[in-house]
């Protein structure tokens, strides 16, 4: 299964449509009026699925159907749908039919019977009504068909972007593993150096105390080694490195499985950041501190990319 980004763009248009009823309605050039729709989908990242519709009022009736299509195709992301009606240039001057004019006249007479002060319809208003009703019944169907194609295009776009994000995350995983391998042998070296310092310090104390020293040299050596062991436990980061490796394994597994993994990846990124912080707080050498900083940079880069995954 693919990994999908929440970022993408797609567009689709329906062909010019002529409804069966419009075949009797001709324009000034003697052809039936035609109309179609164009659909655009823009998607960015969001914690949940957030849908926005921008469309003319004449197509508002199809909004529930379009919403159902989008919710079936996507789970997360802020998606904006723009739908525009396109009409043939010839429909600018439709030829009103007697049936249409008769209906308009009847409506106008009824309105004026109740509202004598109402103004008569203008030629422009009559033409607008005739053009608006010419292909209205088919626009809804065209809008749904075009939206289906646009959704398929957006799914493909989000899949391509998701594939690119997977590549970026895999690169960061490789670098984090390399840093973990560099950190692994540093702790024993630091412990060994600190143990030697303890022994030298206790030896210096023994030489200074001389004969008045109450503890034997062997007892002082054992105390020095005991403190060195306690120090080694305090700075031991083997557990943090082990958990970090386990989190990286799980992230890599999820990226290979695909699907809706964004929220799980986000949680694992938080855990990676926690382990890197602990590694930095326990660091007793400059090398470990630098490794911790580099890890945090890589993890932050991964977090930015994971926020775009569905």
């Amino acid at each position: 299964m693919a990994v999908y980004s929440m970022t993408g763009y797609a567009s689709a248009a329906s062909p010019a449509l002529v409804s069966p009823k419009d075949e009797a309605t001709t324009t000034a050039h003697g052809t039936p009026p035609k109309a179609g729709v164009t659909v655009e989908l823009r998607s960015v990242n969001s914690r949940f699925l957030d849908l926005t519709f921008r469309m003319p009022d004449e197509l508002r009736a199809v909004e529930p159907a379009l919403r159902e299509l989008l919710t079936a195709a996507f789970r997360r992301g802020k998606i904006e749908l723009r739908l525009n009606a396109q009409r043939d240039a010839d429909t600018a001057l439709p030829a009103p039919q007697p049936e249409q004019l008769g209906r308009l006249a009847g409506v106008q007479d009824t309105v004026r019977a109740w509202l004598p002060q109402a103004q008569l319809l203008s030629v422009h208003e009559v033409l607008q009504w005739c053009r608006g009703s010419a292909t209205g019944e088919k626009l809804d169907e065209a809008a749904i068909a075009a939206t289906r194609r646009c959704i398929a295009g957006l799914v493909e776009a989000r899949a391509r972007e998701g594939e690119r994000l997977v590549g970026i995350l895999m690169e960061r995983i490789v670098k984090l593993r390399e840093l973990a391998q560099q950190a692994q042998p540093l702790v024993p070296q630091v412990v060994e150096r600190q143990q030697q310092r303890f022994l030298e310090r206790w030896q210096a104390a023994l030489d200074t105390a001389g004969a008045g020293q109450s503890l034997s040299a062997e007892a002082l050596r054992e105390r020095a080694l005991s403190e060195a062991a306690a120090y080694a436990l305090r700075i031991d980061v083997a557990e943090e490195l082990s958990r970090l490796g386990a989190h990286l394994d799980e992230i890599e597994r999820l990226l290979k499985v695909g699907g809706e993994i964004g929220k799980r990846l986000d949680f694992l990124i938080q855990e990676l950041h926690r382990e890197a912080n602990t590694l930095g707080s326990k660091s007793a050498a400059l090398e470990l501190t630098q490794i911790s900083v580099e890890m945090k940079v890589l993890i932050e880069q991964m977090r930015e990319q994971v926020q775009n995954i569905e």
Side-chain angles (χ1 to χ4, degrees), residues 25-307:
T25 305
T26 57
T27 64
H29 295 126
T31 59
K34 299 178 181 180
V37 295
T38 58
V39 180
E40 291 180 298
L41 286 172
R42 293 178 172 86
S43 175
V44 295
N45 63 312
S46 176
R47 292 183 62 188
F48 308 101
L49 183 61
D50 183 6
L51 303 179
T52 303
F53 296 87
R54 301 185 184 278
M55 61 179 68
D57 291 338
E58 61 184 312
L59 292 171
R60 281 291 172 183
V62 299
E63 181 177 330
L66 302 184
R67 185 179 296 274
E68 184 177 350
L69 291 175
L70 290 171
T71 53
F74 306 106
R75 295 294 178 269
R76 294 178 65 197
K78 184 176 182 180
I79 302 176
E80 179 185 81
L81 182 147
R82 289 179 177 268
L83 195 154
N84 295 308
Q86 293 180 326
R87 301 184 183 277
D88 190 83
D90 287 341
T91 61
L93 292 174
Q97 298 301 302
E99 294 179 359
Q100 295 174 320
L101 296 177
R103 290 175 58 193
L104 277 178
V107 171
Q108 179 175 254
D109 292 341
T110 301
V111 172
R112 286 179 59 82
W114 287 92
L115 302 172
Q117 296 181 350
Q119 296 182 355
L120 295 174
L121 290 171
S122 65
V123 174
H124 174 73
E125 290 170 339
V126 171
L127 293 178
Q128 284 292 103
W129 185 89
C130 292
R131 183 175 61 181
S133 62
T135 54
E137 296 179 1
K138 282 291 184 178
L139 281 180
D140 291 358
E141 181 180 337
I144 293 176
T147 301
R148 290 183 187 275
R149 292 195 299 273
C150 197
I151 288 175
L154 183 60
V155 170
E156 293 178 0
R158 288 171 46 137
R160 289 193 300 269
E161 179 67 12
E163 184 178 358
R164 187 184 69 83
L165 294 180
V166 169
I168 295 174
L169 291 173
M170 287 296 190
E171 290 178 2
R172 302 302 186 272
I173 289 174
V174 171
K175 292 181 180 179
L176 283 171
R177 292 190 190 279
E178 293 174 353
L179 290 173
Q181 291 176 355
Q182 295 174 19
Q184 196 75 41
L186 290 177
V187 174
Q189 297 174 9
V190 172
V191 171
E192 184 178 355
R193 290 199 301 266
Q194 191 64 29
Q195 178 179 316
Q196 186 62 33
R197 292 194 190 99
F198 280 139
L199 291 173
E200 293 173 356
R201 188 179 68 184
W202 284 106
Q203 185 62 44
L206 180 62
D207 294 342
T208 302
Q213 178 65 40
S214 60
L215 296 176
S216 64
E218 186 63 27
L220 290 174
R221 177 180 175 82
E222 289 181 1
R223 180 176 293 182
L225 293 176
S226 177
E227 291 194 14
Y231 175 79
L233 290 175
R234 289 197 305 271
I235 69 168
D236 184 24
V237 294
E239 185 176 353
E240 284 75 15
L241 292 176
S242 177
R243 285 198 297 263
L244 188 141
H247 296 329
L248 292 177
D249 290 341
E250 180 63 11
I251 291 174
E252 192 169 0
R253 186 191 70 82
L254 289 174
L255 292 176
K256 291 178 180 179
V257 172
E260 300 171 22
I261 59 175
K263 292 183 178 180
R264 283 181 286 177
L265 288 178
D266 188 59
F267 170 76
L268 290 170
I269 292 298
Q270 294 178 22
E271 294 301 307
L272 284 178
H273 201 275
R274 181 180 303 173
E275 303 304 336
N277 275 335
T278 306
L279 179 65
S281 64
K282 286 187 174 183
S283 64
L286 180 60
E287 297 89 345
L288 280 173
T289 302
Q290 291 175 342
I291 288 176
S292 174
V293 171
E294 292 181 20
M295 282 184 172
K296 290 179 184 179
V297 171
L298 291 172
I299 293 169
E300 181 63 23
Q301 292 174 352
M302 293 178 69
R303 186 186 67 81
E304 293 176 356
Q305 302 303 327
V306 164
Q307 287 182 344

